[in-house]
Amino acid sequence: MTRPPRTLVLPPRLTSSARTLRATALRRGLRIVEATASAVAESASASASASALEGGAVHLHAGPSFADVVAPTLGIALLEAPADWLALLPRALTRRDVRAMPIGDAYRLRRPAFVKSPNDKSISALVYADGSRLPGPDAVDPATVVLVSDVMTFAVEYRLHVLDGAVRTAGQYAEAGRLRLGPPDGDALAFGRDVLAAAGASLPSAIVVDVGRDEEGRWAAIEANAAWASGCYLADPERALDTVLRAAGPAADLSPHDRAFVR
């Protein structure tokens, strides 16, 4: 019996990376659904299952706000790193102090710090002069976990698409804090392997890890991001798509390892 084709769900407004992944998915024979989150959720709810999207496994590539609406209705498990993953890395891999804490505690900061949400953009990723500059309790639940780190400037930054504990593809995405795309760097790949050797077991099987080098030549882990919400830039789109499909696929297909990393 021929297996029904898989479906990749995308939001209606696509980034350049998303268009690349869409073209790659089409070449591979996947069906593509582009619609608003509400339209996808309503269509699936009407048929009470993801089979409303033509049958077969359903995946998505989108930002967190879209994914949080669509994934539960379609039975998609969204994989992401633990909120404190970066904070638990050894200092040799971060080159800076990184802590995961409730934003209510971060209000007491009296020094500049880089603060961000671990797995979405609910708290803008910025250098804040002190804790009083963070969004207040009228806008954010004080229990919301944020990552607070020393300010570190990166000369160049790379994105590594990781599948089953190995870097499948990679590429440069920034230089001196500005978008600048390029091929993977051998030193970046080597450092990525060091990070995965030390902490790969504490990540889901499909994830994106960003690493960078400062002006002094020191390599550091920047963060781990959900592959289903991350741009692929100039990485090999076939291998990037492999990572995306695993990172946001049928909950019924989850491995025992990945069950601990569902958003």
Side-chain angles (χ1 to χ4, degrees):
M1 179 182 294
T2 302
R3 295 178 61 185
R6 290 185 288 179
T7 298
L8 180 64
V9 179
L10 299 165
R13 294 182 181 179
L14 301 183
T15 63
S16 175
S17 286
R19 289 194 293 272
T20 297
L21 291 175
R22 176 183 62 182
T24 304
L26 285 170
R27 286 196 300 271
R28 199 180 285 191
L30 275 73
R31 290 193 174 105
I32 302 296
V33 171
E34 292 181 49
T36 64
S38 59
V40 173
E42 288 171 7
S43 174
S45 294
S47 295
S49 75
S51 62
L53 296 179
E54 308 288 349
V58 184
H59 308 262
L60 68 77
H61 177 68
S65 59
F66 181 100
D68 285 342
V69 172
V70 170
T73 308
L74 299 181
I76 295 172
L78 303 171
L79 302 183
E80 64 183 12
D84 60 354
W85 180 79
L86 187 66
L88 294 179
L89 289 182
R91 184 68 175 259
L93 296 178
T94 62
R95 300 291 184 177
R96 63 203 188 280
D97 182 65
V98 183
R99 300 183 185 184
M101 65 178 70
I103 195 170
D105 292 349
Y107 292 149
R108 295 196 288 270
L109 288 169
R110 294 296 176 261
R111 60 177 174 81
F114 182 77
V115 183
K116 70 179 294 291
S117 298
N119 286 309
D120 56 41
K121 302 184 188 310
S122 58
I123 306 299
S124 296
L126 296 170
V127 174
Y128 293 85
D130 57 53
S132 69
R133 307 301 179 89
L134 290 163
D138 57 330
V140 181
D141 183 339
T144 300
V145 175
V146 293
L147 289 175
V148 177
S149 68
D150 292 339
V151 179
M152 184 173 182
T153 301
F154 292 95
V156 62
E157 299 168 55
Y158 295 87
R159 173 154 295 169
L160 315 177
H161 289 260
V162 177
L163 189 63
D164 293 325
V167 178
R168 291 295 304 274
T169 185
Q172 177 183 312
Y173 66 88
E175 187 173 292
R178 297 179 180 272
L179 183 68
R180 187 177 181 86
L181 308 185
D185 176 275
D187 290 339
L189 295 174
F191 179 73
R193 288 192 290 270
D194 290 342
V195 172
L196 294 175
S202 58
L203 289 170
S205 67
I207 195 73
V208 163
V209 175
D210 293 345
V211 301
R213 174 178 51 77
D214 69 5
E215 293 289 358
E216 298 177 17
R218 301 181 305 167
W219 286 94
I222 298 174
E223 60 186 353
N225 290 307
W228 46 266
S230 297
C232 63
Y233 302 118
L234 295 185
D236 182 322
E238 289 285 350
R239 295 185 175 189
L241 181 60
D242 288 339
T243 308
V244 170
L245 296 178
R246 176 81 65 79
D253 294 343
L254 278 176
S255 67
H257 172 79
D258 281 337
R259 289 172 189 155
F261 301 101
V262 177
R263 179 177 173 84

